[in-house]
Amino acid sequence: MSNAYIDQFPAEAKVVKALFYSSFVALALGGVFGIIQTLHRTDIYRFIDSANYYSVLTAHGVFMVITFTIFFLVGVFTWAVTTSLDREVEDIRFTWAWVALMSIGTVMAAVPILAGLTDSIDMSAAVLFTFYAPLQGHPLFYLGLVLFVVGTWVAGADWFRSWWAWKKENPDARIPLPTFMVLTTMIMWYIATMGVATSILVFLLPWSLGWIETVNPLLTRTLFWFFGHPVVYFWLMPAYMMWYVMLPKFSGGKLFSDPLARVGFVLFLLLSTPVGIHHQYLDPGISEGFKFIAMTNTMFLLLPSLLTAFTVVASMEHGARQRGGTGYFGWLKALPWRDPVFAGMALAGLLFAAAGFSGMVNAGMNINYLVHNSLWVVGHFHLTVGTAVALTFMAVSYWFIPQVTGKELWNRSVALVQVVLWFIGMTFMTNSMHRAGLIGMPRRTAEPQYEGFEFETAVGSVGELDAQIALGGVLLTLSLVLFFANIIGTAFGSRSDTLPDNGYAEALSGSDDAPRVLDNLKLWTAIAIVLVIFAYSLPLLSIVDRGGLFGPDIPPLPVSLESVTFLAFAVEHVATVALESAGNFAQTALSGVIN
């Protein structure tokens, strides 16, 4: 008789299964829009107008990096809390309520995005994943985002309720590591989402409804990046959790150090939010001093990432040596590379190491100027959320889906091919994106080639770079097809009594070796809030002081072609008059000097 998750927590297994399946629907939609976007931008195959490219880009971003990732991670967090506390949720109806909130919010946000691809429905939300002003979307898009985020807040409250109830029964016990990771991640999320909640509720939603006429674009942009960088860690920290508590299990060993894992997550809580201004190094409305503070905070984030790398690799080595591995590097051969769950997570971690190097370039003020708003940035986040997060989530699904359905995985060989194919496809795509960024090729455009201008590559050609991007996109799409074939095959399979037991890796150095102060969540929350106030209070006050709370009279975008033509004529006229005035002034000044 198996002791799988569905046998231990049948009601919660239905919730987790629903969350996983919801995330997979978003992954499928995001993947479809991703290959459309890839083939269009590289000019290999086009069947949409370039004007619709931005709706496609918005759909790809929102479905992939918001809906897929967050639906999956809340499923993982529900598993982690119930498993590590060994208790059911306090009220399953409350749990289904936040699932419903997130689902309704997703549908509401998706409708105007998809409606922008057709002329038959008069609504659009081609505002990209970043959705700050002056781009303006339909009010339904913003309302959907609000419901979705509120759903995640309620989910966090659900997990805190479970922990508080467990703590009353176990007042002197240490917080189990998976629950500790969930709680610290959610505290970071509560702090980070204050920025985007303010941006939407105070500015963007009233603006889209016509209640206010203008907004301050720099203010909404800064509030977005208040949220926009920590949301990356909201995706990454569940992947880290899988590397900490599951990868050692599949390696055949134990977690190297529970205390180091706790230290890493505390540092992510403290440092993830007060760094968002490093996305705005080229924004002229923010002083260099504030940007320098953001850069310094960002560099400190390397510490928990390096701690994670050390701890996870040490745990893998322990597992390999338990399996008979020997030598300085020979132990690598003893790892279970034919296991798709292990292989997918290990390959995801390998590419994430490359993302760390490109991330250091993004974080540095001076070298960031070289790659800002170029395809380099796209390559970087396809290594982070597109590989470290997405590949980890897909790989661990091959363990989770049998656990919540009670059915054997349909085909392990197909699963192994799928994770390797994703790794290869992402290697091709991100390599060419980083190289293209170094020669200045822009992101966020359907037409990267300009008439009368040629990008000069040190090695290869622009055609070769486009071919690599397209090849990578095709391989990633094939990988998704294999993934969904396996998930669907498993879903329609029959119940099995031979599934592995539910659980996670034990630690060589356990929670008793960790200082108790690490479990003082009130202390770390207070410090995190102080750091955010220090990093953001003066920049936000400066932005409001310069541009006003609701900003100058800037029209919303997209605008009509007639408006663009008129604007171009106006700019040209003003520039001509200014040049003539400057010429007359220079001539008068020169005559005065000569005299």
Side-chain angles (χ1 to χ4, degrees), residues 298-322:
T298 305
M299 293 303 178
F300 279 122
L301 267 173
L302 289 172
L303 178 58
S305 296
L306 292 173
L307 283 177
T308 298
F310 170 79
T311 307
V312 171
V313 172
S315 303
M316 290 168 58
E317 181 180 355
H318 174 262
R321 295 193 184 280
Q322 295 296 108

Side-chain angles (χ1 to χ4, degrees), residues 60-142:
H60 176 64
V62 170
F63 289 136
M64 280 293 207
V65 303
I66 294 183
T67 316
F68 159 60
T69 57
I70 297 181
F71 265 114
F72 193 90
L73 72 87
V74 294
V76 169
F77 282 179
T78 301
W79 164 85
V81 171
T82 52
T83 298
S84 60
L85 297 182
D86 193 21
R87 64 183 298 126
E88 300 173 345
V89 296
E90 300 309 298
D91 184 348
I92 196 67
R93 295 170 299 177
F94 186 80
T95 303
W96 279 112
W98 59 257
V99 173
L101 270 178
M102 291 179 62
S103 302
I104 294 170
T106 298
V107 172
M108 289 174 63
V111 167
I113 295 174
L114 300 177
L117 296 170
T118 176
D119 296 330
S120 59
I121 304 176
D122 187 21
M123 64 170 62
S124 174
V127 293
L128 310 184
F129 152 68
T130 45
F131 65 82
Y132 41 68
L135 296 178
Q136 187 183 76
H138 192 274
L140 195 62
F141 172 76
Y142 300 117

Side-chain angles (χ1 to χ4, degrees), residues 421-463:
L421 202 58
W422 189 275
F423 175 82
I424 296 172
M426 198 60 80
T427 300
F428 276 116
M429 176 176 279
T430 56
N431 168 64
S432 54
M433 284 177 169
H434 281 91
R435 289 172 53 205
L438 289 175
I439 62 173
M441 192 171 289
R443 61 185 291 209
R444 290 172 169 165
T445 175
E447 310 291 342
Q449 303 295 328
Y450 299 108
E451 185 176 349
F453 176 81
E454 295 290 336
F455 291 104
E456 296 183 5
T457 59
V459 178
S461 65
V462 171

